[in-house]
Amino acid sequence: MFFKVAKQSLLSRKSSVLLTILAITISVFVLLSVEHIRHQAKQSFNRTVSGVDLIVGPRTGQLNLLLSSVFRIGDSSNSIEFSTVQELEKHPMVSWVIPIALGDSHKGHRVMGTTTDYFVHYKYGAKQALTFSEGQAFSATYDLVLGADIAKKFNYSIGQSIVLSHGTGVTSFSHHEQTPFTVVGILNRTGTPVDQTLHVSFEGLHHMHEAESSNMITNEHHEQHDEHDEHDEHDHEHKHDHKQVNQGADNQQYAHDHDHKVSAVFVGLKARFASLVMQKWASDYKKEALTAIMPGVALTQLWRLVGSIEVVLQVIAVLVLLTTLIGLSTMLLATMRERTREIAILRVLGASPLFLFTLIELEVLVITILGSLLGVAMLWIGLLVSEPLLASKLGLFVDTNPVSENALIALGLVVIGSLIMGLIPAINAYRHSLQANLTNN
């Protein structure tokens, strides 16, 4: 009986009730979105790399080095010599090193050249090791290991032949078609940028670029040979050019043999206190300019930068919600005058002031719950749609399930706040006397 009266009362005011539910839906969506993205972003940042004591790269800012090497965001303008990596590996305080090379892509996703030590020493989350859902680590030159999201997105499987592209843009006009790679392993999902990365060996990366350079030189040679057939009078000059081409090819080969450069190096130390010692070693290194950062410190610095934005977003979300709750109370107060006759009839039928008070509060509760559920549903759909975009563009890996402990607390506060705001019209109805209603009508 009680719920039936509340239902009929709400249905009699469909337009205003629907608008109020819509306002609460948007408010809850904004509130939970800010909280969910903030929490997931922080969790995603913190779980991306674990067990790496130092990241060594070319001289640059520590945030640039962190973003390019760990999150695959942006491009490193310089690289370091492989001989530097070898010297670093021989340092008595270094336990292991994982060199990485970035610069190529596949359909907009980063290709990373590395060694098999990457699959042994690189950790994420709570020092969780990388594991394979299928296959194994690369062993041959043109073997390739896929991140979980890449395999799922393009429906790749073991044995699949994949052509890589030059550059890191989404669209590339330079494809390494002469040297396709073969998928030999697919990693389990980690919720980190590893899922969006294609892993190849340094040797494969080196031979891929070497093959492209050789092909360019061969094409250039054929063009010059055709010109030679058409212009015999320039035979001597052609021979001279031919010699230059061969000499250029030799120089190119020499350059490639020594072009084994890396974008950054993940370093594991024998003792944590050695981090400061190795940072000084990197800053004092004479052969080339180096930067050595501690991932935890750089992550904290990065989070501080976005901390002020986080607070602003939270304040905006709370203000939007507060405005909506005030609007809810105003709507109910505005309709109280229209409901004077309805209240008078209920009193005549024996409804107590407490019944009217509870009826108003129940209506507030129903409107708030419906709006909150729709807000959660809207957020869930938004996360499903935006999750691939956040992963590929920003390197953020968010959980598409919006229901969390924080979300439930926020929803509880929304319900309590709405009931408090509903006290104003509820008390108004409680105090409304039967005589006054009958007099007014």
Side-chain angles (χ1 to χ4, degrees):
M1 175 64 183
F2 189 76
F3 291 98
K4 190 175 180 181
V5 172
K7 176 184 173 185
Q8 293 302 323
S9 176
L10 291 173
L11 289 176
S12 66
R13 294 173 284 115
K14 289 179 186 173
S15 301
S16 58
V17 170
L18 286 176
L19 285 175
T20 307
I21 290 175
L22 180 62
I24 291 179
T25 299
I26 294 173
S27 300
V28 169
F29 171 76
V30 173
L31 180 69
L32 295 187
S33 295
V34 171
E35 178 59 26
H36 189 75
I37 296 296
R38 182 192 68 80
H39 181 70
Q40 289 293 313
K42 191 172 185 178
Q43 195 175 46
S44 176
F45 274 35
N46 290 333
R47 64 179 280 116
T48 302
V49 60
S50 174
V52 175
D53 297 310
L54 277 182
I55 300 175
V56 179
R59 183 61 55 85
T60 182
Q62 63 173 349
L63 289 184
N64 288 338
L65 183 56
L66 178 76
L67 291 173
S68 63
S69 61
V70 176
F71 295 98
R72 325 278 195 260
I73 297 174
D75 295 310
S76 178
S77 55
N78 293 311
S79 56
I80 59 178
E81 300 288 342
F82 200 79
S83 58
T84 301
V85 180
Q86 292 174 323
E87 282 194 41
L88 180 63
E89 188 175 17
K90 291 176 183 175
H91 196 284
M93 290 187 176
V94 172
S95 177
W96 49 263
V97 297
I98 304 173
I100 62 170
L102 302 164
D104 293 287
S105 64
H106 174 70
K107 297 181 179 179
H109 297 278
R110 294 297 181 98
V111 173
M112 189 175 80
T114 185
T115 65
T116 52
D117 286 339
Y118 177 78
F119 305 105
V120 177
H121 296 297
Y122 188 85
K123 304 288 193 302
Y124 68 98
K127 294 191 176 181
Q128 296 169 265
L130 299 177
T131 55
F132 287 85
S133 62
E134 294 181 69
Q136 57 191 2
F138 46 70
S139 56
T141 302
Y142 294 113
D143 286 353
L144 182 147
V145 174
L146 293 174
D149 288 349
I150 300 290
K152 182 180 179 182
K153 181 177 181 179
F154 300 111
N155 198 25
Y156 287 156
S157 57
I158 300 295
Q160 186 99 30
S161 183
I162 291 177
V163 174
L164 307 183
S165 304
H166 186 70
T168 57
V170 176
T171 303
S172 175
F173 299 100
S174 178
H175 305 292
H176 301 288
E177 295 176 346
Q178 302 88 353
T179 53
F181 284 75
T182 303
V183 178
V184 297
I186 299 174
L187 294 169
N188 279 316
R189 197 167 195 277
T190 63
T192 71
V194 173
D195 300 338
Q196 299 275 336
T197 306
L198 298 89
H199 309 82
V200 299
S201 66
F202 268 112
E203 290 71 24
L205 211 58
H206 173 70
H207 285 293
M208 180 179 73
H209 290 113
E210 189 177 55
E212 183 187 30
S213 298
S214 300
N215 187 51
M216 291 174 63
I217 292 171
T218 303
N219 290 337
E220 185 180 350
H221 169 69
H222 286 163
E223 289 175 3
Q224 291 184 355
H225 186 72
D226 292 340
E227 289 176 2
H228 166 73
D229 292 340
E230 294 174 0
H231 306 286
D232 290 337
E233 63 274 16
H234 299 299
D235 182 64
H236 174 72
E237 183 180 353
H238 168 75
K239 287 178 180 178
H240 180 67
D241 289 345
H242 189 86
K243 184 179 179 181
Q244 283 185 330
V245 169
N246 287 336
Q247 186 177 355
D250 291 341
N251 290 336
Q252 193 76 20
Q253 179 66 37
Y254 178 84
H256 278 298
D257 287 344
H258 293 77
D259 196 27
H260 215 52
K261 295 185 176 181
V262 301
S263 304
V265 189
F266 297 137
V267 181
L269 300 174
K270 293 179 179 176
R272 296 296 298 273
F273 69 87
S275 297
L276 297 177
V277 177
M278 292 309 299
Q279 277 189 307
K280 188 172 188 310
W281 176 88
S283 63
D284 294 341
Y285 192 70
K286 301 297 183 186
K287 296 182 180 177
E288 59 180 325
L290 298 177
T291 298
I293 64 170
M294 289 186 277
V297 175
L299 282 169
T300 303
Q301 182 183 359
L302 179 61
W303 196 250
R304 282 178 184 167
L305 286 177
V306 300
S308 56
I309 300 174
E310 173 193 359
V311 173
V312 171
L313 290 176
Q314 284 180 315
V315 170
I316 292 174
V318 171
L319 288 177
V320 169
L321 178 64
L322 187 61
T323 305
T324 303
L325 293 180
I326 293 174
L328 169 67
S329 179
T330 305
M331 184 274 293
L332 290 171
L333 276 173
T335 57
M336 289 304 295
R337 186 174 180 80
E338 300 173 5
R339 301 175 65 185
T340 303
R341 188 175 181 81
E342 174 192 341
I343 293 173
I345 293 172
L346 287 173
R347 292 294 305 274
V348 168
L349 294 175
S352 65
L354 181 61
F355 179 90
L356 295 176
F357 177 87
T358 312
L359 178 65
I360 299 299
E361 285 291 73
L362 179 62
E363 291 179 6
V364 169
L365 185 64
V366 170
I367 291 173
T368 305
I369 289 177
L370 285 176
S372 299
L373 290 176
L374 289 174
V376 173
M378 184 185 290
L379 176 58
W380 177 64
I381 294 171
L383 289 172
L384 285 177
V385 173
S386 62
E387 192 261 346
L389 190 65
L390 290 172
S392 59
K393 298 295 183 184
L394 301 177
L396 293 178
F397 295 83
V398 298
D399 188 356
T400 54
N401 180 13
V403 180
S404 63
E405 184 180 348
N406 290 338
L408 292 175
I409 292 173
L411 289 175
L413 293 175
V414 169
V415 172
I416 293 172
S418 65
L419 290 175
I420 292 174
M421 298 304 294
L423 285 176
I424 300 173
I427 292 174
N428 185 285
Y430 180 84
R431 291 179 173 175
H432 218 254
S433 67
L434 174 61
Q435 292 78 8
N437 291 329
L438 294 176
T439 301
N440 292 334
N441 295 280

